[in-house]
Amino acid sequence: MDTATATATVSRPPWEHAVVTGGAGFVGSHLCTALLDQGASVTCVDDFCTGSAENVAHLTGRPGFTLLQADVTKPFEVGRAAGLVLHFASPASPSDYLRLPLHTLETGSLGTRNALALAHRDGARFILASTSEVYGDPQQHPQNERYWGNVNPVGPRSVYDEAKRFGEALTVAVAAERGTDTGIVRLFNTYGPRMRGYDGRAVPTFVRQALAGEPLTVTGDGLQTRSLAYVDDTVRGILAMAASDLRGPVNLGNPAEITMLELARTVISLAGSRSAVGFIDRPTDDPAVRCPDITLARGKLQWEPRVDAVEGLARTIAWFRERQNG
Ligand code: NAD
């Protein structure tokens, strides 16, 4: 069977009740907002290991929003049946998953199992947040969903990459054996407001450094590329996937590639900063290139990014600046 197109529709929007694991994180908090805007009630489940209640403070008191502090590696209850389960819980930045290696593996395995069980019990649509990191240091460029990846299973990044690969395998197996209505999205680097300045990812690091007038720490020679998607585009793609009957995996990312050096220079210019660019060592197993082939998302979800790097970075810088001043 074509795993990208698959069968089955159990529940479709408008959802009465959606569960977002990792909802108090960067992407999850934007998902909670978008789902509430669509008229769903939302239970955000989070253990705050990398996220915070502050990320959803704007939703507290909004009708239909519930914040539940729970670790999804243990079975959890949300009180009422869900029509949609978005499983986004997982440390995501390298500095977080290197600090929390076992929790990352357990969230990708036990956490995915528990979120799948909840979706199965309620007959809900389930979406797994997977990642471009399943492609590792890719030998195929750009990466389409048929590429199996080049991951070092015992390297320092493996706790994240392999947790996500296992999560994908588990999702596919549960769909096949139990008939759960599942979909997998592979997110490429996403950035925007509510990232943490010290989470180690390039955009928030550069923005924080540029606003402080400090040198921007580019790793290696800065010629490695990433493709950066603005969070509003990513959220729109995730919700399109949720509304579809695709099983995936489906890549969601912005195919416009940028080198880290170009990114640093663009941030400096948009922030009106006097910062210089400095070079530091590149982390082990850091991929040299990363660019999504989004043919599948374009064709099946009618989705593509709308926000270019200049606009998205300007919005992100404005958010960081506002927080700095507030
Ligand atoms: P984030 O760290 O801001 O958010 C993750 C959230 O999950 C946090 O609020 C954290 O507290 C919560 N969490 C982690 N383990 C948990 C557990 N066991 N129980 C309950 N909550 C738990 O990261 P993000 O960038 O928002 O990423 C969200 C999801 O999207 C992750 O699954 C990540 O792998 C995936 N993803 C993100 C990107 C990106 O560029 N941001 C790219 C690819 C994939």
Side-chain angles (χ1 to χ4, degrees):
M1 181 176 33
D2 175 1
T3 53
T5 46
T7 53
T9 53
V10 181
S11 62
R12 290 291 170 267
W15 291 282
E16 267 184 43
H17 180 214
V19 172
V20 183
T21 76
F26 158 52
V27 178
S29 63
H30 288 273
L31 279 170
C32 290
T33 307
L35 285 162
L36 284 164
D37 289 348
Q38 288 187 353
S41 65
V42 173
T43 301
C44 163
V45 185
D46 205 294
D47 69 354
F48 304 137
C49 68
T50 62
S52 69
E54 197 192 335
N55 282 336
V56 286
H58 62 294
L59 303 177
T60 318
R62 197 168 153 173
F65 181 72
T66 306
L67 175 58
L68 174 68
Q69 183 170 2
D71 176 352
V72 299
T73 65
K74 316 215 168 51
F76 59 96
E77 286 295 333
V78 292
R80 54 180 287 216
L84 174 67
V85 176
L86 299 178
H87 180 43
F88 277 64
S90 172
S93 90
S95 63
D96 286 333
Y97 60 71
L98 294 175
R99 180 173 58 85
L100 299 165
L102 294 181
H103 192 59
T104 301
L105 282 163
E106 287 173 1
T107 303
S109 51
L110 301 174
T112 304
R113 180 195 66 181
N114 291 332
L116 277 162
L118 183 79
H120 183 73
R121 188 196 64 191
D122 292 349
R125 172 90 165 138
F126 172 91
I127 300 294
L128 173 71
S130 185
T131 170
S132 58
E133 299 286 336
V134 300
Y135 299 124
D137 192 359
Q139 290 167 329
Q140 172 181 308
H141 192 66
Q143 297 83 51
N144 65 37
E145 294 84 350
R146 292 179 304 283
Y147 179 53
W148 292 350
N150 177 36
V151 171
N152 175 357
V154 292
R157 301 171 78 101
S158 63
V159 293
Y160 182 65
D161 305 2
E162 298 293 7
K164 291 290 182 181
R165 289 170 72 97
F166 180 85
E168 288 198 10
L170 186 62
T171 300
V172 168
V174 165
E177 196 168 314
R178 301 191 184 145
T180 313
D181 177 17
T182 66
I184 298 170
V185 286
R186 288 185 181 150
L187 308 184
F188 284 63
N189 289 7
T190 295
Y191 69 97
R194 294 196 210 114
M195 293 187 98
R196 286 166 294 135
Y198 286 92
D199 88 356
R201 292 185 269 196
V203 171
T205 304
F206 288 169
V207 171
R208 171 178 56 78
Q209 291 168 330
L211 292 179
E214 295 166 4
L216 272 64
T217 45
V218 170
T219 61
D221 58 9
L223 298 182
Q224 68 276 24
T225 69
R226 293 294 182 272
S227 64
L228 299 173
Y230 187 66
V231 65
D232 290 3
D233 282 331
T234 301
V235 163
R236 194 166 41 79
I238 294 162
L239 295 182
M241 181 68 178
S244 80
D245 61 0
L246 297 188
R247 285 193 187 167
V250 175
N251 286 341
L252 294 177
N254 191 330
E257 242 175 312
I258 184 166
T259 68
M260 289 298 95
L261 196 52
E262 282 173 294
L263 176 67
R265 289 183 177 143
T266 308
V267 168
I268 289 171
S269 151
L270 288 171
S273 167
R274 290 170 179 272
S275 291
V277 172
F279 294 89
I280 59 172
D281 286 345
R282 220 160 121 209
T284 313
D285 293 340
D286 186 44
V289 287
R290 194 47 79 59
C291 178
D293 177 334
I294 59 166
T295 309
L296 193 58
R298 277 200 176 108
K300 300 277 185 191
L301 300 175
Q302 287 72 53
W303 175 87
E304 64 182 350
R306 293 178 186 153
V307 181
D308 68 21
V310 169
E311 187 183 342
L313 288 169
R315 288 190 208 172
T316 308
I317 291 166
W319 181 83
F320 271 82
R321 186 170 266 141
E322 201 176 299
R323 274 171 62 91
Q324 207 177 41
N325 297 336

